[in-house]
Structure formats: structure tokens, C-alpha cells
Amino acid sequence: QEVLPSRGESTAGGINIAERPARVRTRYVEGITPAMRVVYLDRDERVMKILTQPVEIGRRQGLEFMVADFTTSGDAA
């Protein structure tokens, strides 16, 4: 997972939402779509939204796509 610079913050219902985009590379799995979610299990379980259509790497060797990890940062004011 390669974390990219944040694309800024937006406000949803008075709560600041920070979007942290990242690139994911995984083994080839048929049927992955942007309507699905990625669950990343490390110290904390993170659910990420797929932003782009997955691109095939090689001949069904792997997939690459962009995801965004949404977190609530609270209201600083």
C-alpha cells in the first residue's frame, strides 16, 4: 500500500471527513468492481472505498486500483 498525499478535507453533516487516497496492488481476482469495499486488517480494521476501475497487471497476474480511507477528524472549532 502506497499512501498518497491527502486531497483535502470535506464536511458532511458538520463533521470533517479527511480522504486519504492510496494505491492497492493485489493478486488477480475476477469480478472486482468500484462498488465493492476493501477491508485492510492490521492493528486496526479499516474499510476503504474503491475509487477507480481495477487495472489488470500482466496476464491475470495482479490488479491495481485506487482506494480512499475515510476518517472523521471531528470539528476543530
Side-chain angles (χ1 to χ4, degrees), residues 30-47:
E30 193 171 328
I32 303 279
T33 69
M36 297 177 171
R37 301 292 181 254
V38 173
V39 177
Y40 182 69
L41 301 173
D42 58 357
R43 289 182 222 127
D44 300 317
E45 183 176 303
R46 295 181 354 202
V47 178

